[in-house]
Amino acid sequence: MTIRNTALLTDQYELTMVSAALRNPIAHRQCVFEVFARRLPDGRRYGVVAGTARILDALTQFRFGDDEIAVVERFLDEDTVEWLRTFEFSGDIDGYREGELYFPNSPILTVRGTFAEAVVLETLILSILNHDSAIASAAARMVSAASRRPIIEMGSRRTHEWAAVASARAAYLAGVAATSNLEAARTYGVPSAGTAAHSFTLAFTEPDGTNEKAAFAAQIETLGVGTTLLVDTFDITQGVRNAVEVAGPELGAVRIDSGDLGVLARQVREQLDELGAPNTKIVVSGDLDEYAIASLRAEPVDTYGVGTSLVTGSGAPTAGMVYKLVEVDGIPVAKRASHKESKGGAKNAVRVARPTGTIVEEILYRAGTPTPEVPGHDVRPLQIPLVRGGRRVDDLPTLDDARAFLADGLVSLPWEGLGLSHGDPAVPTRFQLG
């Protein structure tokens, strides 16, 4: 079921805080909340911001109608229920644009409004940003490892049905070429791809045995010789032979989904060339992650298919972003608990780069103070306006804009920042709060 109203995509404690706040003046105090990650996931050198546009879409649907009120009035007092009936965010939001790189403590999103109207958005904002940024960060590493060879995202069967749609969008933002998910194609315009699974070949089994050629012929009759034939259902060598025999030398591609992919890719490439199909491409899939993709860089692989390692926690660990109150009526506030400290006060950020374009650091400075200057370096502000007076800003970057922006941003990282080995963040973050 598609949930169009987003008001209940939240935790109960957001609303009980509002209830208690409304009994006190604090509900109406002007506050600033910031979203940031204290650290990057283990082994990561950078993160990728994704999901911002989805947050803005969700914000327009964050309304408490009769159905939503029927749920929350079970535990909320009447005054709070009435407040929710007319709730509409009226504050401002600034943030890093989608496709921007982020590092520890980067102020990825800044929400300004009354305490009550800003605190109630915490879960919605974090659930979208943490999910989409995790997927985009993982996908960006895979795209870098693939070294310009295209990747197809095919993880829909490994995650929640609607998470699959968001994952496909985030992966495309990060440079993945296409998705198998048709809802992502419809909703976000992500290019889609897909041909056939092993079950299609197996369905052609007759009492006297398998008939792989008949399966290939049926697929080619429907999709043309430019299709991709899955050749590893039985014996790969025979499968390749059958594929070329049925499709001819103009066969678009063959796909290998199991086994030692490097060894098999070399063998299949040799066989295709011998059969007179030198232009037939090789697609590989099967539990690939960035390390497996990197290990295949020297092999004759043309396209990668990725799924489980992209859309699940094993390959896309949580971004670990938090939503923290940093200012109340202009007064800086900060959490001081051990290992969960935060820096008080609203902050802006700039990224500093050499004239060659290579990033050297990110500086966080007090909002309202002059932008830092670094002699001999280019300084670029990172936050852009997203919401003003509760209304989405016009002409924000599109998904394709974000995709191109990230591709340029990855080029600006120090070369070691693109490595897959463990290490410090590719770019240091420095506080200049005065």
Side-chain angles (χ1 to χ4, degrees):
M1 179 179 66
T2 303
I3 301 175
R4 299 199 178 277
N5 186 301
T6 60
L8 296 184
L9 297 178
T10 190
D11 290 307
Q12 182 168 318
Y13 90 138
E14 312 289 8
L15 302 187
T16 54
M17 279 194 289
V18 169
S19 179
L22 288 171
R23 296 171 180 268
N24 296 274
I26 68 165
H28 308 293
R29 298 183 76 177
Q30 290 298 312
C31 293
V32 179
F33 286 81
E34 286 181 347
V35 176
F36 60 93
R38 293 187 177 93
R39 61 192 64 85
L40 297 175
D42 186 42
R44 298 295 171 88
R45 313 294 294 275
Y46 63 87
V48 176
V49 176
T52 308
R54 292 212 307 120
I55 289 173
L56 301 183
D57 290 341
L59 188 59
T60 65
Q61 303 297 324
F62 198 88
R63 303 286 186 273
F64 287 84
D66 291 342
D67 290 344
E68 290 72 39
I69 291 297
V71 175
V72 302
E73 65 182 358
R74 302 170 191 169
F75 59 88
L76 292 177
D77 61 275
E78 184 176 340
D79 288 344
T80 304
V81 169
E82 290 307 308
W83 185 86
L84 291 173
R85 283 187 189 277
T86 60
F87 174 83
E88 185 173 344
F89 181 70
S90 64
D92 297 339
I93 301 177
D94 295 318
Y96 287 26
R97 56 180 289 169
E98 286 199 279
E100 185 70 84
L101 302 173
Y102 74 88
F103 303 96
N105 298 305
S106 293
I108 295 164
L109 204 72
T110 302
V111 180
R112 292 179 171 85
T114 66
F115 176 80
E117 69 175 338
V119 76
V120 78
L121 300 179
E122 175 185 6
T123 299
L124 181 68
I125 287 173
L126 286 182
S127 62
I128 294 174
L129 267 184
N130 270 318
H131 175 271
D132 288 23
S133 297
I135 301 298
S137 299
R141 285 162 59 86
M142 295 180 188
V143 169
S144 294
S147 189
R148 296 188 178 87
R149 299 176 190 177
I151 296 176
I152 301 171
E153 183 278 317
M154 49 180 65
S156 296
R157 291 160 294 154
R158 299 294 186 264
T159 188
H160 184 277
E161 63 269 26
W162 291 108
V165 181
S167 296
R169 179 189 183 278
Y172 179 70
L173 183 157
V176 167
T179 179
S180 64
N181 190 285
L182 290 179
E183 187 59 48
R186 177 175 72 167
T187 302
Y188 300 116
V190 179
S192 61
T195 51
H198 294 104
S199 60
F200 182 77
T201 301
L202 291 169
F204 283 82
T205 300
E206 303 292 345
D208 58 347
T210 60
N211 195 341
E212 190 174 50
K213 287 184 181 180
F216 290 165
Q219 183 175 330
I220 290 167
E221 182 181 1
T222 303
L223 301 178
V225 296
T227 191
T228 299
L229 296 178
L230 184 58
V231 295
D232 71 340
T233 305
F234 307 112
D235 176 79
I236 291 180
T237 300
Q238 185 60 47
V240 172
R241 187 178 297 114
N242 289 340
V244 175
E245 182 177 332
V246 172
E250 300 306 313
L251 173 63
V254 296
R255 179 160 74 98
I256 309 168
D257 189 51
S258 57
D260 188 327
L261 297 177
V263 172
L264 292 173
R266 290 195 299 273
Q267 294 175 348
V268 168
R269 181 74 272 157
E270 291 176 4
Q271 187 181 8
L272 287 170
D273 292 347
E274 290 171 359
L275 293 172
N279 296 321
T280 298
K281 297 184 181 300
I282 297 175
V283 180
V284 298
S285 56
D287 296 325
L288 294 176
D289 59 14
E290 61 265 49
Y291 301 103
I293 291 172
S295 72
L296 293 168
R297 191 174 295 168
E299 307 298 348
V301 174
D302 298 289
T303 301
Y304 303 93
V306 298
T308 303
S309 294
L310 180 55
V311 302
T312 67
S314 60
T318 179
M321 295 179 189
V322 294
Y323 185 90
K324 295 301 178 184
L325 179 64
V326 296
E327 194 170 285
V328 178
D329 286 339
I331 304 169
V333 297
K335 184 176 180 179
R336 298 180 182 178
S338 179
H339 304 298
K340 290 190 175 183
E341 302 89 348
S342 60
K343 297 283 187 179
K347 293 170 282 295
N348 289 334
V350 294
R351 194 153 292 158
V352 181
R354 297 189 181 98
T356 58
T358 302
I359 303 169
V360 295
E361 68 174 345
E362 182 171 318
I363 302 175
L364 278 57
Y365 64 102
R366 192 79 66 192
T369 62
T371 302
E373 296 182 1
V374 182
H377 291 74
D378 297 324
V379 177
R380 177 172 64 88
L382 294 174
Q383 289 191 323
I384 63 172
L386 300 171
V387 174
R388 286 294 178 267
R391 297 291 179 263
R392 183 174 186 157
V393 172
D394 292 333
D395 299 324
L396 289 174
T398 66
L399 178 58
D400 284 329
D401 291 337
R403 179 180 165 91
F405 186 78
L406 173 59
D408 290 340
L410 290 172
V411 174
S412 70
L413 281 176
W415 67 267
E416 64 271 16
L418 292 174
L420 301 181
S421 59
H422 287 226
D424 294 330
V427 173
T429 305
R430 176 165 63 92
F431 289 99
Q432 185 174 304
L433 301 180

